[in-house]
Structures are given as structure tokens and as C-alpha cells.
Amino acid sequence: MGFSGHLVFARSKRPLLEAPVFDGIHQELKGTVDAWWPRPGGWQTLQFDHGLWEGDDLSALVGWTGAPVCVADVADSDIALVTGLETNGRRWRAWLNLDQAAALLAEEPEDLDDVSLWVDTPEFNEAVRRKRAELEVNVPDDVEGALSWAAAAGIPATAQQSRIEGLLCSRETFVENLFSALLDELGFPPAVQAAPEP
């Protein structure tokens, strides 16, 4: 069973969980939020279980941090929709694990009574192929949006668009790894693991 929930990436001098937008989360539930290893410059990633993050939280967090923020909506570690927001209100979106996204978004026949009877049929595979082709057409624009977002976050423009396009079209067993790799490719400094205490 994979992870379902949200990965929130933002910059703050204070622990990100102290943001007022999270005040409504019960203290006991706050204890379930995992903090990934931080990245230099105050960049933090929080992993929220399903139901602890709301869509409106993105704008509120950008307002509190004064910096661009992005969030990945993850389903069972298979698929994620990443949404980034700049301080000027500009948004970008990108799917991670396009094959899984295409299978989820493929148009079902109107007269379908049982989805399980449709999956893995030639018709299903063709619908997935068409949906993946549609999603792939958007990848260059998705990458441009991501690069603009990273530039607004103060990240030097050293990223290669072709490499990020390849990453968005790739697959990974755990989509969380793709999210981390996307941040790496955009040029954010690598996460720093704290030295173990003696």
C-alpha cells in the first residue's frame, strides 16, 4: 500500500508546520506529518496524510512564506498532480507517472456497468494510449511553467528543459521519488541529511 496525501514544498526560516494555514489541524494529527530532509536556503518538504491539506491552503502558504510554493497531490504512490504557485498568482501543473495518469483519466464508455470488465481490454488500452498522447502534448508547457516557478523562487536558470521533459514522461515505482527528482532537476539544492547524534 503506497502513500496517499500531499507533499508540500516551500521556503521558510521557521518550521513550515508553524504556518497559520495549518493551525486548524489537530495537534495529534500534526504529529503524523513527516518532514523530509531540508534543502539549503530554508526549503522544506512536508508529507501530509490524505485529508489534511485543502486546495485553498496553497495561496495562504504563498502569502505566509512570501515565496513560491508547490504541492503534489499523491494517490497510492502511483500518480501525482503537482501544482506550483508563484507570488504573483501564476500557476503551473504537471502530472507525474504519465502512464498511471492516463489510465486514471482515460475516458470510459458511457454504457460501462463494471469498470473491472473494461480494464486491460484492447479498448481500454487504446483509450489510455490516446489520453497519454494528450498529456504528453502538454509536457513542454508544463516544464516552462515549472522553470518560471523555479526562477521566481530564486533558483538560477541552469535546468535543461529536455531533461525535465524526460522526467515528466518517465515512470517510477514510487511517485514521491519523481517529485524529489523534479525538484533536483529544477535546480533546487540537494537535501541535506543531518548528522546522527552521538
Side-chain angles (χ1 to χ4, degrees):
M1 183 90 176
F3 166 73
S4 291
H6 293 85
L7 304 174
V8 179
F9 181 71
R11 180 176 61 200
S12 174
K13 292 179 180 176
R14 294 164 53 189
L16 202 52
L17 203 52
E18 292 180 5
V21 69
F22 303 129
D23 286 349
I25 300 176
H26 190 278
Q27 195 61 38
E28 190 173 307
L29 290 176
K30 278 188 178 181
T32 67
V33 177
D34 286 330
W36 288 13
W37 293 114
R39 292 171 182 255
W43 291 101
Q44 303 171 47
T45 304
L46 296 180
Q47 182 172 317
F48 291 86
D49 287 336
H50 184 71
L52 296 182
W53 173 267
E54 302 294 334
D56 295 342
D57 293 346
L58 188 57
S59 296
L61 196 55
V62 167
W64 184 74
T65 63
V69 175
C70 80
V71 59
D73 185 353
V74 180
D76 202 23
S77 290
D78 289 332
I79 181 175
L81 177 60
V82 181
T83 303
L85 182 63
E86 298 178 25
T87 55
N88 63 6
R90 182 176 176 182
R91 269 177 203 265
W92 64 276
R93 286 190 156 178
W95 287 99
L96 299 179
N97 265 353
L98 277 192
D99 289 340
Q100 297 283 357
L104 177 72
L105 300 171
E107 191 171 337
E108 299 174 357
E110 290 183 13
D111 59 350
L112 188 65
D113 291 328
D114 186 349
V115 175
S116 66
L117 298 177
W118 183 55
V119 174
D120 285 335
T121 64
E123 294 80 11
F124 170 80
N125 292 332
E126 176 59 21
V128 171
R129 187 198 63 73
R130 283 195 309 269
K131 180 52 72 173
R132 181 178 167 108
E134 285 177 30
L135 294 174
E136 278 191 27
V137 168
N138 296 325
V139 166
D141 288 340
D142 297 342
V143 173
E144 282 185 23
L147 289 170
S148 169
W149 173 83
I155 300 302
T158 58
Q160 296 182 21
Q161 179 151 346
S162 61
R163 285 180 58 106
I164 300 172
E165 287 181 12
L167 185 142
L168 292 185
C169 291
S170 69
R171 70 177 75 181
E172 180 73 48
T173 302
F174 296 101
V175 77
E176 299 94 307
N177 294 338
L178 274 180
F179 180 68
S180 185
L182 174 62
L183 297 174
D184 292 343
E185 286 293 343
L186 286 171
F188 287 90
V192 178
Q193 296 186 17
E197 295 184 9

PDB file of all heavy atoms in Angstrom, residues 92-116:
ATOM      1  N   TRP A  92       1.288  26.667 -12.288  1.00  0.00           N
ATOM      2  CA  TRP A  92       1.621  25.634 -13.278  1.00  0.00           C
ATOM      3  C   TRP A  92       1.218  24.295 -12.700  1.00  0.00           C
ATOM      4  O   TRP A  92       1.069  24.134 -11.486  1.00  0.00           O
ATOM      5  CB  TRP A  92       3.114  25.648 -13.638  1.00  0.00           C
ATOM      6  CG  TRP A  92       4.017  25.315 -12.481  1.00  0.00           C
ATOM      7  CD1 TRP A  92       4.466  26.170 -11.537  1.00  0.00           C
ATOM      8  CD2 TRP A  92       4.556  24.030 -12.149  1.00  0.00           C
ATOM      9  NE1 TRP A  92       5.253  25.504 -10.626  1.00  0.00           N
ATOM     10  CE2 TRP A  92       5.332  24.187 -10.979  1.00  0.00           C
ATOM     11  CE3 TRP A  92       4.474  22.760 -12.721  1.00  0.00           C
ATOM     12  CZ2 TRP A  92       6.010  23.135 -10.372  1.00  0.00           C
ATOM     13  CZ3 TRP A  92       5.154  21.712 -12.122  1.00  0.00           C
ATOM     14  CH2 TRP A  92       5.915  21.909 -10.957  1.00  0.00           C
ATOM     15  N   ARG A  93       1.007  23.330 -13.593  1.00  0.00           N
ATOM     16  CA  ARG A  93       0.633  21.974 -13.168  1.00  0.00           C
ATOM     17  C   ARG A  93       1.353  20.961 -14.035  1.00  0.00           C
ATOM     18  O   ARG A  93       1.626  21.217 -15.208  1.00  0.00           O
ATOM     19  CB  ARG A  93      -0.874  21.755 -13.308  1.00  0.00           C
ATOM     20  CG  ARG A  93      -1.663  22.461 -12.253  1.00  0.00           C
ATOM     21  CD  ARG A  93      -3.090  22.015 -12.283  1.00  0.00           C
ATOM     22  NE  ARG A  93      -3.662  22.248 -10.961  1.00  0.00           N
ATOM     23  CZ  ARG A  93      -4.903  22.006 -10.643  1.00  0.00           C
ATOM     24  NH1 ARG A  93      -5.721  21.495 -11.522  1.00  0.00           N
ATOM     25  NH2 ARG A  93      -5.338  22.245  -9.437  1.00  0.00           N
ATOM     26  N   ALA A  94       1.623  19.822 -13.453  1.00  0.00           N
ATOM     27  CA  ALA A  94       2.239  18.726 -14.204  1.00  0.00           C
ATOM     28  C   ALA A  94       1.893  17.400 -13.541  1.00  0.00           C
ATOM     29  O   ALA A  94       1.852  17.310 -12.308  1.00  0.00           O
ATOM     30  CB  ALA A  94       3.765  18.900 -14.261  1.00  0.00           C
ATOM     31  N   TRP A  95       1.639  16.401 -14.358  1.00  0.00           N
ATOM     32  CA  TRP A  95       1.405  15.046 -13.861  1.00  0.00           C
ATOM     33  C   TRP A  95       2.731  14.322 -13.718  1.00  0.00           C
ATOM     34  O   TRP A  95       3.631  14.511 -14.552  1.00  0.00           O
ATOM     35  CB  TRP A  95       0.513  14.257 -14.819  1.00  0.00           C
ATOM     36  CG  TRP A  95      -0.919  14.680 -14.804  1.00  0.00           C
ATOM     37  CD1 TRP A  95      -1.534  15.513 -15.692  1.00  0.00           C
ATOM     38  CD2 TRP A  95      -1.917  14.281 -13.855  1.00  0.00           C
ATOM     39  NE1 TRP A  95      -2.852  15.669 -15.352  1.00  0.00           N
ATOM     40  CE2 TRP A  95      -3.118  14.931 -14.233  1.00  0.00           C
ATOM     41  CE3 TRP A  95      -1.911  13.467 -12.732  1.00  0.00           C
ATOM     42  CZ2 TRP A  95      -4.307  14.773 -13.525  1.00  0.00           C
ATOM     43  CZ3 TRP A  95      -3.100  13.307 -12.029  1.00  0.00           C
ATOM     44  CH2 TRP A  95      -4.280  13.949 -12.418  1.00  0.00           C
ATOM     45  N   LEU A  96       2.858  13.497 -12.708  1.00  0.00           N
ATOM     46  CA  LEU A  96       3.998  12.595 -12.560  1.00  0.00           C
ATOM     47  C   LEU A  96       3.489  11.173 -12.718  1.00  0.00           C
ATOM     48  O   LEU A  96       2.427  10.827 -12.181  1.00  0.00           O
ATOM     49  CB  LEU A  96       4.653  12.764 -11.179  1.00  0.00           C
ATOM     50  CG  LEU A  96       5.226  14.159 -10.877  1.00  0.00           C
ATOM     51  CD1 LEU A  96       5.828  14.186  -9.476  1.00  0.00           C
ATOM     52  CD2 LEU A  96       6.268  14.557 -11.908  1.00  0.00           C
ATOM     53  N   ASN A  97       4.259  10.343 -13.421  1.00  0.00           N
ATOM     54  CA  ASN A  97       3.867   8.984 -13.808  1.00  0.00           C
ATOM     55  C   ASN A  97       2.717   9.046 -14.820  1.00  0.00           C
ATOM     56  O   ASN A  97       1.569   8.712 -14.525  1.00  0.00           O
ATOM     57  CB  ASN A  97       3.485   8.115 -12.597  1.00  0.00           C
ATOM     58  CG  ASN A  97       4.648   7.284 -12.091  1.00  0.00           C
ATOM     59  OD1 ASN A  97       5.715   7.252 -12.702  1.00  0.00           O
ATOM     60  ND2 ASN A  97       4.463   6.612 -10.979  1.00  0.00           N
ATOM     61  N   LEU A  98       3.058   9.495 -16.041  1.00  0.00           N
ATOM     62  CA  LEU A  98       2.044   9.725 -17.075  1.00  0.00           C
ATOM     63  C   LEU A  98       1.235   8.484 -17.419  1.00  0.00           C
ATOM     64  O   LEU A  98       0.041   8.586 -17.712  1.00  0.00           O
ATOM     65  CB  LEU A  98       2.700  10.261 -18.356  1.00  0.00           C
ATOM     66  CG  LEU A  98       2.977  11.755 -18.431  1.00  0.00           C
ATOM     67  CD1 LEU A  98       3.356  12.147 -19.853  1.00  0.00           C
ATOM     68  CD2 LEU A  98       1.801  12.578 -17.966  1.00  0.00           C
ATOM     69  N   ASP A  99       1.873   7.307 -17.413  1.00  0.00           N
ATOM     70  CA  ASP A  99       1.117   6.078 -17.731  1.00  0.00           C
ATOM     71  C   ASP A  99      -0.032   5.887 -16.753  1.00  0.00           C
ATOM     72  O   ASP A  99      -1.163   5.578 -17.141  1.00  0.00           O
ATOM     73  CB  ASP A  99       2.032   4.846 -17.694  1.00  0.00           C
ATOM     74  CG  ASP A  99       2.999   4.809 -18.869  1.00  0.00           C
ATOM     75  OD1 ASP A  99       2.725   5.481 -19.878  1.00  0.00           O
ATOM     76  OD2 ASP A  99       4.022   4.117 -18.769  1.00  0.00           O
ATOM     77  N   GLN A 100       0.262   6.059 -15.475  1.00  0.00           N
ATOM     78  CA  GLN A 100      -0.764   5.897 -14.444  1.00  0.00           C
ATOM     79  C   GLN A 100      -1.819   7.003 -14.562  1.00  0.00           C
ATOM     80  O   GLN A 100      -3.013   6.753 -14.387  1.00  0.00           O
ATOM     81  CB  GLN A 100      -0.137   5.932 -13.050  1.00  0.00           C
ATOM     82  CG  GLN A 100       0.846   4.804 -12.779  1.00  0.00           C
ATOM     83  CD  GLN A 100       0.145   3.486 -12.499  1.00  0.00           C
ATOM     84  OE1 GLN A 100      -1.060   3.403 -12.452  1.00  0.00           O
ATOM     85  NE2 GLN A 100       0.933   2.446 -12.327  1.00  0.00           N
ATOM     86  N   ALA A 101      -1.365   8.211 -14.858  1.00  0.00           N
ATOM     87  CA  ALA A 101      -2.311   9.319 -15.015  1.00  0.00           C
ATOM     88  C   ALA A 101      -3.245   9.055 -16.188  1.00  0.00           C
ATOM     89  O   ALA A 101      -4.456   9.276 -16.097  1.00  0.00           O
ATOM     90  CB  ALA A 101      -1.555  10.634 -15.221  1.00  0.00           C
ATOM     91  N   ALA A 102      -2.690   8.571 -17.289  1.00  0.00           N
ATOM     92  CA  ALA A 102      -3.511   8.280 -18.467  1.00  0.00           C
ATOM     93  C   ALA A 102      -4.536   7.193 -18.167  1.00  0.00           C
ATOM     94  O   ALA A 102      -5.692   7.288 -18.586  1.00  0.00           O
ATOM     95  CB  ALA A 102      -2.615   7.859 -19.629  1.00  0.00           C
ATOM     96  N   ALA A 103      -4.130   6.177 -17.422  1.00  0.00           N
ATOM     97  CA  ALA A 103      -5.062   5.098 -17.074  1.00  0.00           C
ATOM     98  C   ALA A 103      -6.187   5.629 -16.178  1.00  0.00           C
ATOM     99  O   ALA A 103      -7.344   5.221 -16.310  1.00  0.00           O
ATOM    100  CB  ALA A 103      -4.323   3.964 -16.375  1.00  0.00           C
ATOM    101  N   LEU A 104      -5.854   6.556 -15.298  1.00  0.00           N
ATOM    102  CA  LEU A 104      -6.859   7.127 -14.404  1.00  0.00           C
ATOM    103  C   LEU A 104      -7.822   8.048 -15.147  1.00  0.00           C
ATOM    104  O   LEU A 104      -9.024   8.060 -14.872  1.00  0.00           O
ATOM    105  CB  LEU A 104      -6.159   7.906 -13.284  1.00  0.00           C
ATOM    106  CG  LEU A 104      -7.073   8.635 -12.301  1.00  0.00           C
ATOM    107  CD1 LEU A 104      -7.764   7.626 -11.385  1.00  0.00           C
ATOM    108  CD2 LEU A 104      -6.284   9.640 -11.483  1.00  0.00           C
ATOM    109  N   LEU A 105      -7.289   8.802 -16.102  1.00  0.00           N
ATOM    110  CA  LEU A 105      -8.070   9.843 -16.773  1.00  0.00           C
ATOM    111  C   LEU A 105      -8.711   9.387 -18.078  1.00  0.00           C
ATOM    112  O   LEU A 105      -9.479  10.149 -18.684  1.00  0.00           O
ATOM    113  CB  LEU A 105      -7.174  11.057 -17.055  1.00  0.00           C
ATOM    114  CG  LEU A 105      -6.544  11.717 -15.828  1.00  0.00           C
ATOM    115  CD1 LEU A 105      -5.515  12.759 -16.259  1.00  0.00           C
ATOM    116  CD2 LEU A 105      -7.608  12.349 -14.953  1.00  0.00           C
ATOM    117  N   ALA A 106      -8.392   8.167 -18.522  1.00  0.00           N
ATOM    118  CA  ALA A 106      -8.945   7.682 -19.798  1.00  0.00           C
ATOM    119  C   ALA A 106     -10.469   7.707 -19.763  1.00  0.00           C
ATOM    120  O   ALA A 106     -11.092   7.366 -18.757  1.00  0.00           O
ATOM    121  CB  ALA A 106      -8.445   6.269 -20.081  1.00  0.00           C
ATOM    122  N   GLU A 107     -11.041   8.125 -20.882  1.00  0.00           N
ATOM    123  CA  GLU A 107     -12.494   8.249 -20.962  1.00  0.00           C
ATOM    124  C   GLU A 107     -13.154   6.878 -21.014  1.00  0.00           C
ATOM    125  O   GLU A 107     -12.835   6.052 -21.865  1.00  0.00           O
ATOM    126  CB  GLU A 107     -12.875   9.053 -22.206  1.00  0.00           C
ATOM    127  CG  GLU A 107     -14.327   9.456 -22.243  1.00  0.00           C
ATOM    128  CD  GLU A 107     -14.626  10.419 -23.369  1.00  0.00           C
ATOM    129  OE1 GLU A 107     -13.693  11.107 -23.831  1.00  0.00           O
ATOM    130  OE2 GLU A 107     -15.790  10.474 -23.780  1.00  0.00           O
ATOM    131  N   GLU A 108     -14.064   6.645 -20.092  1.00  0.00           N
ATOM    132  CA  GLU A 108     -14.763   5.357 -20.025  1.00  0.00           C
ATOM    133  C   GLU A 108     -15.972   5.370 -20.952  1.00  0.00           C
ATOM    134  O   GLU A 108     -16.600   6.414 -21.140  1.00  0.00           O
ATOM    135  CB  GLU A 108     -15.236   5.080 -18.593  1.00  0.00           C
ATOM    136  CG  GLU A 108     -14.118   4.997 -17.579  1.00  0.00           C
ATOM    137  CD  GLU A 108     -14.640   4.869 -16.153  1.00  0.00           C
ATOM    138  OE1 GLU A 108     -15.876   4.895 -15.960  1.00  0.00           O
ATOM    139  OE2 GLU A 108     -13.812   4.759 -15.238  1.00  0.00           O
ATOM    140  N   PRO A 109     -16.325   4.223 -21.518  1.00  0.00           N
ATOM    141  CA  PRO A 109     -17.541   4.148 -22.336  1.00  0.00           C
ATOM    142  C   PRO A 109     -18.769   4.512 -21.504  1.00  0.00           C
ATOM    143  O   PRO A 109     -18.837   4.199 -20.310  1.00  0.00           O
ATOM    144  CB  PRO A 109     -17.590   2.679 -22.767  1.00  0.00           C
ATOM    145  CG  PRO A 109     -16.209   2.162 -22.568  1.00  0.00           C
ATOM    146  CD  PRO A 109     -15.607   2.962 -21.454  1.00  0.00           C
ATOM    147  N   GLU A 110     -19.735   5.178 -22.138  1.00  0.00           N
ATOM    148  CA  GLU A 110     -20.926   5.632 -21.417  1.00  0.00           C
ATOM    149  C   GLU A 110     -21.771   4.475 -20.892  1.00  0.00           C
ATOM    150  O   GLU A 110     -22.438   4.593 -19.874  1.00  0.00           O
ATOM    151  CB  GLU A 110     -21.775   6.527 -22.324  1.00  0.00           C
ATOM    152  CG  GLU A 110     -21.121   7.873 -22.592  1.00  0.00           C
ATOM    153  CD  GLU A 110     -22.004   8.775 -23.433  1.00  0.00           C
ATOM    154  OE1 GLU A 110     -23.204   8.476 -23.602  1.00  0.00           O
ATOM    155  OE2 GLU A 110     -21.483   9.790 -23.931  1.00  0.00           O
ATOM    156  N   ASP A 111     -21.768   3.344 -21.618  1.00  0.00           N
ATOM    157  CA  ASP A 111     -22.621   2.220 -21.227  1.00  0.00           C
ATOM    158  C   ASP A 111     -21.900   1.228 -20.318  1.00  0.00           C
ATOM    159  O   ASP A 111     -22.331   0.091 -20.148  1.00  0.00           O
ATOM    160  CB  ASP A 111     -23.140   1.493 -22.472  1.00  0.00           C
ATOM    161  CG  ASP A 111     -21.996   0.967 -23.350  1.00  0.00           C
ATOM    162  OD1 ASP A 111     -20.823   1.337 -23.084  1.00  0.00           O
ATOM    163  OD2 ASP A 111     -22.276   0.205 -24.285  1.00  0.00           O
ATOM    164  N   LEU A 112     -20.798   1.679 -19.685  1.00  0.00           N
ATOM    165  CA  LEU A 112     -19.991   0.787 -18.857  1.00  0.00           C
ATOM    166  C   LEU A 112     -20.668   0.546 -17.511  1.00  0.00           C
ATOM    167  O   LEU A 112     -20.983   1.474 -16.780  1.00  0.00           O
ATOM    168  CB  LEU A 112     -18.608   1.407 -18.640  1.00  0.00           C
ATOM    169  CG  LEU A 112     -17.565   0.543 -17.952  1.00  0.00           C
ATOM    170  CD1 LEU A 112     -17.213  -0.659 -18.828  1.00  0.00           C
ATOM    171  CD2 LEU A 112     -16.320   1.360 -17.669  1.00  0.00           C
ATOM    172  N   ASP A 113     -20.918  -0.722 -17.191  1.00  0.00           N
ATOM    173  CA  ASP A 113     -21.524  -1.080 -15.906  1.00  0.00           C
ATOM    174  C   ASP A 113     -20.480  -1.463 -14.868  1.00  0.00           C
ATOM    175  O   ASP A 113     -20.631  -1.192 -13.687  1.00  0.00           O
ATOM    176  CB  ASP A 113     -22.512  -2.252 -16.084  1.00  0.00           C
ATOM    177  CG  ASP A 113     -23.743  -1.832 -16.873  1.00  0.00           C
ATOM    178  OD1 ASP A 113     -24.144  -0.660 -16.755  1.00  0.00           O
ATOM    179  OD2 ASP A 113     -24.275  -2.677 -17.606  1.00  0.00           O
ATOM    180  N   ASP A 114     -19.403  -2.117 -15.311  1.00  0.00           N
ATOM    181  CA  ASP A 114     -18.387  -2.634 -14.398  1.00  0.00           C
ATOM    182  C   ASP A 114     -17.012  -2.277 -14.941  1.00  0.00           C
ATOM    183  O   ASP A 114     -16.575  -2.817 -15.959  1.00  0.00           O
ATOM    184  CB  ASP A 114     -18.537  -4.154 -14.260  1.00  0.00           C
ATOM    185  CG  ASP A 114     -17.603  -4.743 -13.210  1.00  0.00           C
ATOM    186  OD1 ASP A 114     -16.705  -4.015 -12.740  1.00  0.00           O
ATOM    187  OD2 ASP A 114     -17.782  -5.928 -12.860  1.00  0.00           O
ATOM    188  N   VAL A 115     -16.342  -1.344 -14.263  1.00  0.00           N
ATOM    189  CA  VAL A 115     -15.026  -0.880 -14.717  1.00  0.00           C
ATOM    190  C   VAL A 115     -14.036  -2.030 -14.808  1.00  0.00           C
ATOM    191  O   VAL A 115     -13.195  -2.081 -15.714  1.00  0.00           O
ATOM    192  CB  VAL A 115     -14.486   0.217 -13.770  1.00  0.00           C
ATOM    193  CG1 VAL A 115     -13.072   0.620 -14.149  1.00  0.00           C
ATOM    194  CG2 VAL A 115     -15.402   1.419 -13.766  1.00  0.00           C
ATOM    195  N   SER A 116     -14.123  -2.996 -13.883  1.00  0.00           N
ATOM    196  CA  SER A 116     -13.159  -4.100 -13.865  1.00  0.00           C
ATOM    197  C   SER A 116     -13.221  -4.930 -15.147  1.00  0.00           C
ATOM    198  O   SER A 116     -12.237  -5.567 -15.525  1.00  0.00           O
ATOM    199  CB  SER A 116     -13.384  -4.988 -12.639  1.00  0.00           C
ATOM    200  OG  SER A 116     -14.636  -5.638 -12.720  1.00  0.00           O
TER     201      SER A 116
END
